[in-house]
Structure formats: structure tokens, C-alpha cells
Amino acid sequence: MSEHTTTEQADLDRLRATLTAAAGENRARAFLYRWLELLERTTGDAEPLRELLADDLTMTLPDGRALHSYEEVAAWYAGTREAVQLSLHHVRELTVIPGPGRTYDLAIDFDWQGIAKDGRPMTARTRHQWTLTDTGEPHLRLSRFAVTAVEPFTPVPAAQALAHYTAARS
């Protein structure tokens, strides 16, 4: 059996690094869409979020509150469900950057449309900074989450919400 040449070995190493980075980015994207699936559900059961949260979680909301435990996240999730009867996030921009160790930093801009409990259509635009940690489990774990409202949650006429939705999809 012949040994790989130095050039072949360098090519194999580059390929391995590229595939590893792509697999990590795909896992980060899978986490993002699982998170959105759970947030956009109307069941109100926060239990599935538990497997997505790191033990050292810091989740900073637009109002400045910081959540650090599953119980605090579950209360926030329940409060959101009480305020919104329908929620839809569109990823406007997503950047995934491998961090130190087995972490991934995500920068995400969302266009959001929803219907408040009182039936009013609403829109918003938010910017998120997340850090996900690969613990070897089926899902990455959310360890850092900070969101700012670029355009605050605002009641709008139905036609404007629909236009916002249509623009976000294109």
C-alpha cells in the first residue's frame, strides 16, 4: 500500500476541514429551524425546549431581562403564547461562524409577522446573536442568546402585515 504524498495529504486535510465545518453549519441551521418550529407552535408546551438549552444559558430579551434556567425560559414561552395566537419568523439573514472548541456563533436577522390574541396583525424585525455548543447530543445546545428589536413589535393593518409577509418571502 502506498502512502499519500504530501500534496494528497494536504488535500485530504483541507477536505476533512471543509466537511467538518459544513456539518457544523448544518447542525446549527437544524437547531435554528427546530427552535423556530417550537416557538411557532400553539401548544404552549415548553418541555421540548429543555433539550435545546445549555446549563450555563444566558438569554437576553429585547427588554433587557436575562433568563438563565429552563423554568425562566418556560415562563417566557408561556407569556409569549398568551400574547400571540399566531407567529411566523422569516430568516432575512443568517451567518454561522465556528467558534472556539465545539461552539458556533450565529447572527440572525428575522422578519416577523404575527397575530396578537386580540386579533391585531403585528410585524417586527429582530436581530439575534446566539452561541450554540455541540455536546455530542442529537441537538446543539443554546448557551447565549441576545435579541434586539430593529423594528419593534407593532400593530399594523392586515394589508400591511400581508405586504410585510410577502416581502419577507421574496
Side-chain angles (χ1 to χ4, degrees):
M1 214 178 238
S2 69
E3 301 233 352
H4 295 293
T5 65
T6 304
T7 303
E8 289 173 329
Q9 188 60 50
D11 289 345
L12 283 172
D13 291 344
R14 278 193 302 279
L15 178 60
R16 217 176 257 111
T18 299
L19 293 175
T20 299
E25 182 171 336
N26 287 340
R27 285 178 48 85
R29 287 176 181 271
F31 177 96
L32 167 64
Y33 289 107
R34 175 68 174 145
W35 180 265
L36 292 178
E37 174 194 12
L38 295 173
L39 255 55
E40 293 174 355
R41 276 190 195 178
T42 56
T43 66
D45 178 15
E47 187 59 33
L49 289 172
R50 186 185 298 272
E51 71 182 358
L52 302 181
L53 304 176
D55 293 336
D56 64 345
L57 173 70
T58 299
M59 187 171 165
T60 307
L61 304 176
D63 63 8
R65 284 183 299 148
L67 311 178
H68 298 283
S69 68
Y70 164 75
E71 291 74 21
E72 291 172 328
V73 172
W76 163 79
Y77 183 74
T80 300
R81 184 176 174 344
E82 290 302 314
V84 177
Q85 64 176 295
L86 181 65
S87 175
L88 182 63
H89 295 78
H90 291 279
V91 176
R92 171 180 273 269
E93 190 170 329
L94 170 63
T95 304
V96 178
I97 300 170
R102 298 176 64 174
T103 64
Y104 299 91
D105 292 320
L106 280 65
I108 314 157
D109 287 352
F110 289 113
D111 284 333
W112 179 86
Q113 296 83 37
I115 299 177
K117 281 292 187 177
D118 65 7
R120 291 177 302 152
M122 299 182 73
T123 63
R125 182 164 290 151
T126 58
R127 179 161 294 132
H128 294 241
Q129 299 292 324
W130 296 0
T131 299
L132 306 176
T133 302
D134 187 346
T135 60
E137 296 170 288
H139 294 285
L140 300 176
R141 296 277 184 150
L142 181 65
S143 54
R144 300 287 174 270
F145 174 110
V147 60
T148 56
V150 176
E151 294 176 14
F153 294 85
T154 307
V156 295
Q160 188 176 345
L162 186 56
H164 194 259
Y165 171 80
T166 302
R169 292 196 63 203
S170 59

